[in-house]
Amino acid sequence: QVQVVESGGGLAQAGGSLRLSCTVSGLRFRDYAIGWFRQAPGKGREGVACVSFSGESQYYKDPVKGRFTISRDNAKNTVYLQMNSLRPEDTAMYFCAAAPYGRPWRDQIPGNYDYWGRGTQVTVSS
């Protein structure tokens, strides 16, 4: 049984930092690209960042470029999202998801990701 578990969310002030973690079990971790997504109240789920199977390549959506960094540790089956210079508009539920080989995972379209966690809430106050 595949499990995806996010952690590290919380309350931060604008300009502050948080580090999210995503641990995956029940699958061959290195065979999956991993993406972070977020969903604010009343809005659709959107991609934030994704990382390749080996961790060599990372892709970011424009709103977070230069502020967020995604990385993975295949020995620990874990992906991280370091979030710096946080803004109130970053407030959302953050989800981690896994996409297998053969999917266009770089597009960060939610439908291309098979396994999802329940999310961790990030709230940024102004």
Side-chain angles (χ1 to χ4, degrees), residues 57-68:
S57 300
Q58 306 87 34
Y59 299 87
Y60 301 91
K61 291 296 188 180
D62 286 345
V64 307
K65 282 182 180 177
R67 300 187 298 122
F68 290 11

Side-chain angles (χ1 to χ4, degrees), residues 5 14 17 23 45 49 69 73 79 82 94 103 106-107 121:
V5 180
S17 299
T23 301
R45 192 167 297 189
T69 302
D73 184 342
V79 172
Q82 178 67 43
Y94 282 71
R103 296 282 178 83
R106 295 177 185 84
D107 296 339
Q121 178 67 39

Side-chain angles (χ1 to χ4, degrees), residues 5-73:
V5 180
E6 303 96 336
S7 61
L11 178 65
Q13 290 188 334
S17 299
L18 285 173
R19 188 194 195 203
L20 305 184
S21 298
C22 168
T23 301
V24 182
S25 61
L27 51 72
R28 185 177 168 86
F29 188 65
R30 66 185 63 200
D31 287 348
Y32 287 79
I34 304 296
W36 281 99
F37 297 79
R38 66 187 182 186
Q39 187 167 13
K43 295 187 177 182
R45 192 167 297 189
E46 62 176 8
V48 174
C50 57
V51 62
S52 64
F53 312 92
S54 64
E56 289 184 355
S57 300
Q58 306 87 34
Y59 299 87
Y60 301 91
K61 291 296 188 180
D62 286 345
V64 307
K65 282 182 180 177
R67 300 187 298 122
F68 290 11
T69 302
I70 189 171
S71 61
R72 70 188 287 166
D73 184 342

